C-alpha cells in the first residue's frame, strides 16, 4: 500500500474514531500527523509542526478574546439593539443584511476571514438574542463573504483570474463572479428556508399586525414580547462601551483598509481594553474557544502534511489520467471541494487550477466553465467548521450550543462538498461539452 493511500485511510479513521468516541478530533489528528509524518513519510517533527496554522490560531484566539470582552461589558448587546432598530424590527431581514455586508466588504478586496471575523460575533449575538438559528446566520455570513471574494478586485477573483491569465487559458471574470455569487446566494436561500426563515417571516408579520392593532387602540405599538426592538433594559453607551466600539472600528479599518493582521490587531485591542478596564476582563481568557482552536489546528496540520508530501497532487494526477473527460472534470472539482473544506481556499485556488491546466489545454472541456466550476466548488465549502470561516462561526457561538453548531456545520459542509461539485459540473461543464 502506498504512503498516499495510508495517509488518506488514517484521515478517514480520525473522523470515525472521533465520531464514535468522545475525543477532540484535533488532538487525534495531531497524533496522527506525528505518526504518519515520521513513520510513513519519514519527515522530521519540525516539518510536521510546520503545517500547524499559526495564523489561524492567532485569529481565533484574538477575535474570540476581544469579543468575549465586548460581550461581557455589553457592547455586543448595544450593537445588536442598534441593528434591530436599523431594520425597523424586521428580524428576518438581518441574515440577508449580514450576507450583503460581508459580500460588499470582500468584493472591494478584503480577505474573507477578516470580514467573517468582524461580522460573525455581532451576527451570532443577534441570532442568540432574537432566536434565529445560529447555523443559518453563520452560513449566510460565510457565503456572503465567499461570493463577494470573486469580484474582479476580490481576493479569490484576482487569484483565479490571475492563474487563468498566466496559464494562457480563456477566462471570463463576469461568469466567475456571477456564478460564485449566485451559488452562494442559492446556498444561503436553502439554509434560510430550511433553518427557520419562514418562521422568522411569519413572526415579523405577526409583530407588524400587533403594532398596527396597538396603535389603532391607542397603545404604544410595541413588538411581541421578547422580540421588541425597543428595550429600555438594554445597555446604554458608557466610557467602557464607547472605547470598545472605538476598538472595534480600529479593528475593522486596520484589517479591511490597511490589510493589517486581523488576529494580532484583535489581540492588541483586547489587551489595551484589559489594561484600561481590568475588572471587566476577568474570565475573558477562559471564554476563548480553546476546544475549537485545538480541533481546527489539528485537522489543518494533518491536511497540510498531505499537501506538503504531494498526496493532493497525487490525487490530481491520477484523476487527469481518467479516460472520460466529463468524469475527470467532476473528480477534479470534487477533490477541490474536499481539500478546501479542511485547508486554505486561497491555497487550493492557486494550486489546483495549475494542476488542471494540462487537462484543460486538451480542449476536451470548456476552460471557462471548468475554471468557474472548480473555483466555486473549492470555495462554497468554507462553511465547514474545519475552515477558517467555519471555525470563526463555531468559536463565536454560545458555549451551550457550540458543539451542536459544530456538528450541524459539519453536516452542511460535507453536504456541500458533494452537492456543489455535482451541480457546478451539471450547470457549467456538461453544457459546454455537449454543445
Amino acid at each position: 500500500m502506498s504512503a498516499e493511500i495510508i495517509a488518506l485511510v488514517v484521515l478517514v479513521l480520525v473522523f470515525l474514531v472521533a465520531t464514535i468516541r468522545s475525543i477532540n478530533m484535533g488532538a487525534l489528528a495531531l497524533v496522527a500527523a506525528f505518526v504518519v509524518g515520521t513513520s510513513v513519510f519519514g519527515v522530521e517533527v519540525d516539518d510536521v509542526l510546520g503545517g500547524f496554522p499559526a495564523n489561524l490560531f492567532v485569529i481565533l484566539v484574538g477575535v474570540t478574546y476581544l469579543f468575549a470582552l465586548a460581550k461581557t461589558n455589553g457592547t455586543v448587546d448595544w450593537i445588536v439593539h442598534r441593528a434591530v432598530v436599523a431594520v425597523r424590527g424586521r428580524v428576518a431581514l438581518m441574515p440577508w443584511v449580514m450576507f450583503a455586508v460581508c459580500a460588499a466588504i470582500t468584493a472591494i478586496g478584503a480577505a474573507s476571514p477578516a470580514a467573517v471575523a468582524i461580522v460573525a460575533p455581532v451576527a451570532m449575538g443577534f441570532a442568540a438574542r432574537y432566536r434565529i438559528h445560529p447555523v443559518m446566520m453563520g452560513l449566510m455570513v460565510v457565503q456572503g463573504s465567499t461570493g463577494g471574494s470573486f469580484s474582479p478586485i476580490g481576493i479569490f477573483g484576482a487569484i483565479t483570474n490571475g492563474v487563468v491569465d498566466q496559464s494562457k487559458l480563456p477566462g471570463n471574470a463576469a461568469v466567475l463572479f456571477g456564478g460564485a455569487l449566485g451559488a452562494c446566494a442559492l446556498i444561503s436561500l436553502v439554509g434560510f428556508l430550511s433553518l427557520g426563515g419562514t418562521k422568522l417571516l411569519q413572526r415579523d408579520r405577526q409583530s407588524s399586525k400587533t403594532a398596527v392593532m396597538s396603535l389603532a387602540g391607542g397603545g404604544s405599538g410595541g413588538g411581541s414580547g421578547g422580540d421588541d426592538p425597543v428595550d429600555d433594559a438594554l445597555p446604554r453607551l458608557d466610557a467602557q462601551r464607547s472605547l470598545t466600539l472605538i476598538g472595534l472600528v480600529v479593528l475593522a479599518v486596520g484589517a479591511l483598509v490597511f490589510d493589517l493582521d486581523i488576529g494580532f490587531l484583535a489581540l492588541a485591542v483586547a489587551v489595551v481594553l484589559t489594561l484600561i478596564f481590568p475588572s471587566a476582563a476577568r474570565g475573558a481568557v477562559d471564554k476563548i474557544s480553546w476546544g475549537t482552536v485545538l480541533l481546527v489546528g489539528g485537522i489543518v496540520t494533518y491536511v497540510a502534511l498531505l499537501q506538503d508530501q504531494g498526496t493532493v497532487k497525487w490525487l490530481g494526477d491520477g484523476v487527469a489520467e481518467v479516460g472520460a473527460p466529463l468524469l475527470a472534470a467532476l473528480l477534479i472539482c470534487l477533490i477541490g471541494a474536499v481539500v478546501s473544506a479542511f485547508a486554505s481556499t486561497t491555497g487550493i485556488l492557486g494550486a489546483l487550477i495549475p494542476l488542471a491546466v494540462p487537462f484543460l489545454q486538451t480542449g476536451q472541456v470548456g476552460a471557462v466553465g471548468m475554471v468557474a466550476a472548480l473555483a466555486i466548488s473549492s470555495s462554497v465549502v468554507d462553511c465547514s467548521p474545519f475552515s477558517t470561516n467555519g471555525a470563526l462561526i463555531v468559536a463565536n457561538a454560545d458555549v451551550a450550543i457550540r458543539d451542536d453548531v459544530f456538528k450541524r456545520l459539519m453536516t452542511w459542509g460535507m453536504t456541500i462538498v458533494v452537492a456543489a461539485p455535482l451541480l457546478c459540473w451539471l450547470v457549467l461543464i456538461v453544457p459546454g461539452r455537449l454543445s
Side-chain angles (χ1 to χ4, degrees):
M1 188 180 294
S2 68
E4 290 83 4
I5 293 177
I6 293 173
L8 292 173
V9 169
V10 170
L11 179 60
V12 173
L13 289 175
V14 165
F15 278 91
L16 288 177
V17 173
T19 302
I20 296 171
R21 306 291 294 175
S22 181
I23 182 173
N24 186 286
M25 193 182 299
L28 193 58
L30 281 175
V31 174
F34 167 72
V35 174
V36 172
T38 56
S39 62
V40 177
F41 291 119
V43 300
E44 300 293 329
V45 174
D46 288 346
D47 295 324
V48 175
L49 291 175
F52 183 81
N55 61 327
L56 179 53
F57 173 86
V58 175
I59 289 174
L60 289 174
V61 171
V63 170
T64 54
Y65 183 24
L66 173 58
F67 279 91
L69 292 173
K71 288 175 183 176
T72 300
N73 64 29
T75 304
V76 171
D77 281 344
W78 185 88
I79 294 173
V80 168
H81 170 64
R82 298 311 304 170
V84 177
V85 172
V87 297
R88 299 181 178 180
R90 295 183 178 89
V91 176
L93 285 179
M94 210 58 200
W96 292 105
V97 170
M98 296 299 175
F99 177 94
V101 167
C102 283
I105 291 173
T106 55
I108 59 175
S112 179
V116 174
I118 292 167
V119 175
V122 175
M124 298 303 284
F126 186 98
R129 181 175 178 82
Y130 290 96
R131 305 198 313 276
I132 298 174
H133 201 297
V135 175
M136 181 237 285
M137 183 67 88
L139 194 68
M140 297 186 75
V141 167
V142 173
Q143 295 301 331
S145 70
T146 299
S149 294
F150 279 99
S151 79
I153 60 174
I155 290 180
F156 291 170
I159 291 172
T160 305
N161 293 324
V163 171
V164 168
D165 290 341
Q166 290 172 5
S167 304
K168 295 182 172 50
L169 293 170
N172 190 316
V175 169
L176 177 66
F177 183 33
L181 192 59
C184 291
L186 177 61
I187 292 172
S188 296
L189 179 61
V190 172
F192 181 81
L193 295 176
S194 60
L195 294 173
T198 53
K199 292 181 179 179
L200 291 179
L201 292 170
Q202 292 171 359
R203 193 201 308 173
D204 283 353
R205 283 196 293 268
Q206 184 61 41
S207 295
S208 298
K209 290 180 181 178
T210 302
V212 170
M213 292 174 62
S214 179
L215 287 172
S220 62
S224 56
D227 295 317
D228 187 352
V230 181
D231 187 349
D232 292 335
L234 284 169
R236 306 301 179 186
L237 281 181
D238 56 15
Q240 185 175 180
R241 291 166 194 142
S242 297
L243 282 177
T244 303
L245 281 175
I246 292 173
L248 296 179
V249 171
V250 168
L251 176 67
V253 173
L256 303 179
V257 178
F258 297 102
D259 200 27
L260 299 178
D261 185 90
I262 184 77
F264 280 113
L265 192 55
L267 273 175
V269 174
V271 167
V272 170
L273 290 173
T274 301
L275 289 173
I276 298 175
F277 305 105
S279 60
R282 289 176 188 150
V285 173
D286 295 334
K287 294 180 181 178
I288 295 173
S289 185
W290 295 113
T292 303
V293 171
L294 176 59
L295 172 69
V296 177
I299 290 293
V300 172
T301 300
Y302 190 87
V303 174
L305 175 68
L306 299 188
Q307 289 179 293
D308 291 340
Q309 297 305 310
T311 302
V312 175
K313 186 178 184 303
W314 173 78
L315 280 173
D317 292 342
V319 168
E321 295 175 0
V322 174
L326 282 179
L327 178 59
L330 176 59
L331 292 175
I332 290 173
C333 290
L334 185 60
I335 290 173
V338 171
V339 178
S340 184
F342 303 95
S344 166
T345 301
T346 303
I348 296 303
L349 291 175
L352 275 186
I353 295 177
L355 286 178
V357 167
F359 172 68
L360 291 173
Q361 287 175 337
T362 64
Q364 294 177 312
V365 296
V368 173
M370 179 67 198
V371 168
L374 178 55
I376 294 169
S377 299
S378 301
S379 59
V380 294
V381 296
D382 280 357
C383 58
S384 158
F386 305 109
S387 69
T388 303
N389 289 346
L392 284 166
I393 298 300
V394 175
N396 284 287
D398 187 82
V399 176
I401 60 171
R402 192 170 289 159
D403 287 344
D404 185 58
V405 170
F406 168 79
K407 292 176 183 177
R408 287 175 176 265
L409 272 183
M410 185 168 65
T411 300
W412 272 89
M414 296 307 102
T415 301
I416 294 173
V417 161
V418 176
L422 182 59
L423 290 176
C424 288
W425 179 74
L426 289 171
V427 174
L428 297 169
I429 298 176
V430 172
R433 175 69 178 174
L434 297 178
S435 62

